[in-house]
Amino acid sequence: MLIWAAVAVVGTAVVWKGSGLLEAASERLAQYYRLPEIVQGAIVVAIGSSFPELATVVVSTLVHGEFELGVAAIVGSALFNIMVIPALSGLVAREQLATNRDLVYKEAQFYMIAVATLLLTFSFAVIYNPVESTGGQLQGELTRGLAFLPLVLYVVYVFVQYQDTMDYQSDEDVSHIQPAKEWGKLAVGLLLILAGVEGLVRAAVNFGDILGTPSFLWGITVVAAGTSIPDAFVSVRASRKGKGITSTANVLGSNIFDLLCCIPIGVLIAGTAVINYSVAAPMMAVLTLATLILFLMMRTHMIVSRTESWSLLLVYGGFVAWIALESFNVVNLLVNFPPGS
């Protein structure tokens, strides 16, 4: 157990280092190509900081045959992103974490659409490609055709963001930025992230084997937190610099990419994957509730106060405790949980 705990810590450190290189390169490239601040946060930096989650789905599916662990990591990361990261950003900000109408009425609402779209995709898998299972679990096969549904929505999201760049003008000096060098750093960062994610996934699988718990538990907690640390550093640093809009846009943009791209890309690579709807639906319901909580906090006076930040941390702590109790069968609020029971 100690050995695999050490592997998880080292894997997290490697992911953090790789993500630091990747995010710095992404940010400089965004400046070089003169993209507006909200597009930098919601697209460029968000995709860069979301690469650990994408790598988790690919590695867990192709290398370990644990697609469910990858999905758990995505959902857990999404919850971590919209509860813990805004909370930390709000607590370290010199002033209260500011939002604006673009974030509330475009980014946050598009994120809600992303959650609904992924849930619909899972539902279609169960309806049109049902898989027989023991214990009364609802399962369906997620095919490449279905995986394209959320990907198409992400293309729409990118198009909407592209409209924001049409009239944007920047007079920022970018002569010091060397694009070829930044692309090289980005490539090195990607390789480090892949290595670190492999360590995290292996640790999660072995934690489950040693303790007799589903790998789902460790995916939605340990792997999710480990892969979300880069997002946390990016958003907290932006918040400390007074860039609350970039901080929150990175969180929402990262989650949109996670839901609409990471899981579908994993399916496209693997060919097909079986989704356990009995687990996926309740988790998406929790994610929807968490999103509504953050949305209401952001909309109230267009800030996230320190009191609200502490509340987000408490809610996330309650979620982790609940999932742990469900996994060890201490409580049984969910039917057919943990997965495979």
Side-chain angles (χ1 to χ4, degrees), residues 93-173:
R94 291 185 175 88
E95 297 179 0
Q96 290 178 317
L97 186 67
T99 64
N100 64 14
R101 292 187 178 274
D102 268 349
L103 282 173
V104 172
Y105 293 112
K106 188 177 71 174
E107 302 300 325
Q109 292 192 11
F110 203 99
Y111 175 57
M112 292 181 189
I113 295 172
V115 174
T117 299
L118 190 61
L119 183 58
L120 278 174
T121 303
F122 291 163
S123 301
F124 290 153
V126 175
I127 294 170
Y128 297 109
N129 304 307
V131 175
E132 292 186 8
S133 62
T134 58
Q137 295 184 4
L138 289 174
Q139 295 186 348
E141 189 176 65
L142 202 55
T143 62
R144 284 179 171 145
L146 288 174
F148 273 110
L149 293 177
L151 287 174
V152 168
L153 182 60
Y154 191 76
V155 171
V156 173
Y157 174 69
V158 172
F159 175 76
V160 171
Q161 296 288 10
Y162 170 73
Q163 299 302 304
D164 288 341
T165 69
M166 300 296 289
D167 300 322
Y168 177 74
Q169 298 292 331
S170 173
D171 56 1
E172 187 176 2
D173 181 21

Side-chain angles (χ1 to χ4, degrees), residues 12 15-20 22-24 26-27 40-54 56 73-74 76-89 92 193 223-240 243 246-259 262:
T12 300
V15 169
W16 175 80
K17 179 62 178 176
S19 296
L22 187 145
E23 289 151 16
S26 299
E27 189 172 351
Q40 287 185 36
I43 297 274
V44 181
V45 178
I47 291 177
S49 59
S50 289
F51 188 77
E53 287 89 340
L54 174 59
T56 299
I74 295 297
S77 176
L79 283 166
F80 188 96
N81 284 355
I82 61 173
M83 306 206 83
V84 176
I85 296 179
L88 294 177
S89 298
V92 304
I193 288 170
V223 178
T227 55
S228 292
I229 284 177
D231 286 306
F233 277 105
V234 169
S235 293
V236 168
R237 279 197 298 264
S239 178
R240 288 287 294 171
K243 297 182 178 180
T246 300
S247 173
T248 310
N250 171 59
V251 168
L252 294 172
S254 178
N255 272 14
I256 291 171
F257 181 82
D258 287 351
L259 297 180
C262 291

Side-chain angles (χ1 to χ4, degrees), residues 29-80:
L29 287 170
Q31 292 174 356
Y32 181 79
Y33 294 113
R34 301 184 185 280
L35 300 178
E37 181 182 18
I38 193 165
V39 176
Q40 287 185 36
I43 297 274
V44 181
V45 178
I47 291 177
S49 59
S50 289
F51 188 77
E53 287 89 340
L54 174 59
T56 299
V57 175
V58 174
V59 170
S60 62
T61 302
L62 288 184
V63 179
H64 301 280
E66 290 269 1
F67 178 74
E68 201 163 75
L69 188 150
V71 173
I74 295 297
V75 175
S77 176
L79 283 166
F80 188 96

Side-chain angles (χ1 to χ4, degrees), residues 2-14:
L2 289 175
I3 291 174
W4 289 111
V7 169
V9 171
V10 172
T12 300
V14 173

